[in-house]
Amino acid sequence: SDQASSSQIGSGGGDGKDGTIQKDKTVALFSHLPPYRGPPSSKTTQQAKSTLHPAVLELGMKYATGAVRGGNARCRTMLEVFSTVLDDYVPPGGDAKLDFR
């Protein structure tokens, strides 16, 4: 019985149907998501650099390294980055009709 309790958490037998943690430490609620595979490859990073604002990339790295912690801090920094991106926006072709401001 001690062996069973050390490999499973909860009282649902560890099948995940009731939100308990399975033996491989996955929670049924998140089982549809792909597992974390580590930092992105250099190809993915180069592709992102060509399409994303530098402030967005910097924010992503801060999130990934844990430099920004807590829900309020993460939300605040994201809103600050959105503000920076919007300030730097230039309408395509300089067309004033496409400017959102």
Side-chain angles (χ1 to χ4, degrees), residues 25 41 43 83-84 89:
K25 297 187 180 188
S41 67
K43 180 181 177 185
S83 177
T84 301
Y89 173 77

Side-chain angles (χ1 to χ4, degrees), residues 3 51 73:
Q3 185 179 12
T51 58

Side-chain angles (χ1 to χ4, degrees), residues 13-45:
D15 62 1
K17 292 179 183 173
D18 60 349
T20 60
I21 298 176
Q22 298 172 1
K23 189 172 184 176
D24 62 358
K25 297 187 180 188
T26 59
V27 178
L29 176 66
F30 304 114
S31 63
H32 67 285
L33 299 172
Y36 177 69
R37 293 191 181 105
S41 67
S42 60
K43 180 181 177 185
T44 305
T45 304

